[in-house]
Amino acid sequence: MAEGEEVANLNGEGIENCVMKNLYQDLFRHPGEAEFNDKFTRQTLIHRRFLRPEHLDLPIGKKSRIDPVRIEHAVQQLLSLNRYKTPKAKLTMLINFCRVISIMLQETSPDGQPDGADMFFPSCIYSFLQIKDPAMLTDLSTNIQFVKHFRHPDRLTGEDEYYLTTLESCVEFLHGVSDKDLKMSHEDYIEAVKKAELELDGEKEAKEEAAQAELADLLEMNGDKGSKSSKKDELGSLDKVYSQMK
């Protein structure tokens, strides 16, 4: 790379970082994404309860390509996404995720050679299913779209573009997944989904009831204390309970 081109590239990176940091709060979330993200989150939380590697056509047993330690390391890269406010920094974490998966597949390959998309893609999907935090799932697609739209096209090429496109496809897969996409019978799939939905909704309801009970106890306690509790402490406690109900 010529010196002038290198300087221009560095200047471009600096401008992109500066602009995106200043406009991050205005550009990161788009109201039109909410419905998509909510469905993706629910779909992922439901399917993570019963989908196993074999359902994604991944080898199991002695031929298994899944290393739980590597998967956990990969997921940690995704959990770090919201710490960063620039397309480049977020892209770095997404690429790190993909590279950890690639390393895992190479380490578990029978001949030590890297695999194609037929192994990489379902491995990424399986990794997405290991994310337990609903908030992180809700923001995962938003982070990918943020990079796609605001990383300069000249700096989103080759491996970076391939990995980003693959992750976007993983989100789309889980958003619309059905028994036709999996190695499961229609009957088994419907039964598993119904069971997972009941469990998920039951846990949500129990959490809301517990939060409401805590709120009622807090209000009763504050009523008994009367003027002994400061207004600031009361509001702080109530805010905590309200946040748990969300």
Side-chain angles (χ1 to χ4, degrees), residues 24-38 138-139 141-143 145-146 149-150:
Y24 182 76
Q25 297 300 328
D26 297 318
L27 298 178
F28 180 60
R29 288 186 175 86
H30 188 280
E33 297 176 336
E35 184 177 350
F36 179 95
N37 289 346
D38 288 345
T138 300
D139 282 346
S141 177
T142 299
N143 275 295
Q145 293 303 315
F146 179 80
H149 291 302
F150 297 114

Side-chain angles (χ1 to χ4, degrees), residues 174-211:
L174 287 171
H175 179 269
V177 65
S178 71
D179 60 291
K180 297 178 181 179
D181 305 306
L182 305 168
K183 295 294 182 178
M184 291 183 74
S185 69
H186 176 73
E187 293 75 15
D188 288 346
Y189 176 78
I190 295 299
E191 183 179 352
V193 168
K194 286 183 178 179
K195 180 181 178 182
E197 287 179 333
L198 287 173
E199 291 175 350
L200 184 64
D201 292 339
E203 290 172 5
K204 181 180 179 181
E205 184 178 348
K207 185 177 180 180
E208 290 175 349
E209 289 177 353

Side-chain angles (χ1 to χ4, degrees):
M1 181 183 293
E3 183 177 350
E5 185 178 352
E6 183 176 358
V7 171
N9 185 56
L10 290 174
N11 287 338
E13 290 283 10
I15 292 172
E16 181 178 288
N17 286 346
C18 181
V19 171
M20 297 314 301
K21 282 183 178 179
N22 289 329
L23 297 179
Y24 182 76
Q25 297 300 328
D26 297 318
L27 298 178
F28 180 60
R29 288 186 175 86
H30 188 280
E33 297 176 336
E35 184 177 350
F36 179 95
N37 289 346
D38 288 345
K39 182 180 177 182
F40 165 72
T41 299
R42 181 170 174 82
Q43 284 277 83
T44 305
L45 291 174
I46 288 172
H47 287 80
R48 75 178 304 275
R49 290 172 178 265
F50 64 87
L51 284 189
R52 301 293 178 262
E54 58 267 31
H55 298 138
L56 296 167
D57 206 18
L58 289 168
I60 58 175
K62 293 182 179 180
K63 295 182 179 180
S64 175
R65 310 295 301 279
I66 298 298
D67 179 349
V69 174
R70 288 292 190 191
I71 293 291
E72 182 179 357
H73 184 205
V75 169
Q76 287 301 317
Q77 309 307 305
L78 300 180
L79 297 180
S80 300
L81 280 168
N82 284 352
R83 298 178 186 175
Y84 303 98
K85 297 183 178 181
T86 66
K88 181 180 180 180
K90 289 180 181 292
L91 177 62
T92 297
M93 304 314 297
L94 293 170
I95 299 306
N96 286 347
F97 166 85
C98 292
R99 286 176 177 165
V100 173
I101 299 300
S102 294
I103 291 171
M104 177 189 74
L105 293 176
Q106 186 167 352
E107 290 175 341
T108 58
S109 173
D111 55 7
Q113 298 299 315
D115 297 278
D118 59 335
M119 193 63 64
F120 181 72
F121 182 68
S123 296
C124 289
I125 292 172
Y126 182 76
S127 300
F128 278 15
L129 290 167
Q130 308 316 303
I131 301 175
K132 302 176 182 179
D133 182 7
M136 183 61 247
L137 285 171
T138 300
D139 282 346
L140 182 55
S141 177
T142 299
N143 275 295
I144 293 172
Q145 293 303 315
F146 179 80
V147 174
K148 178 181 178 180
H149 291 302
F150 297 114
R151 180 65 172 159
H152 195 284
D154 290 347
R155 305 186 192 96
L156 190 58
T157 58
E159 182 184 68
D160 291 357
E161 183 179 24
Y162 168 73
Y163 280 153
L164 187 67
T165 300
T166 299
L167 296 183
E168 185 178 20
S169 298
C170 289
V171 170
E172 292 284 353
F173 178 92
L174 287 171
H175 179 269
V177 65
S178 71
D179 60 291
K180 297 178 181 179
D181 305 306
L182 305 168
K183 295 294 182 178
M184 291 183 74
S185 69
H186 176 73
E187 293 75 15
D188 288 346
Y189 176 78
I190 295 299
E191 183 179 352
V193 168
K194 286 183 178 179
K195 180 181 178 182
E197 287 179 333
L198 287 173
E199 291 175 350
L200 184 64
D201 292 339
E203 290 172 5
K204 181 180 179 181
E205 184 178 348
K207 185 177 180 180
E208 290 175 349
E209 289 177 353
Q212 289 172 358
E214 185 178 349
L215 175 59
D217 290 343
L218 182 61
L219 291 173
E220 183 178 355
M221 179 182 65
N222 286 337
D224 292 340
K225 287 184 177 180
S227 60
K228 293 182 180 179
S229 298
S230 70
K231 190 68 175 178
K232 182 178 179 180
D233 290 340
E234 290 177 15
L235 291 175
S237 298
L238 290 173
D239 286 343
K240 180 180 179 181
V241 175
Y242 285 134
S243 67
Q244 293 174 347
M245 295 175 64
K246 294 181 179 179

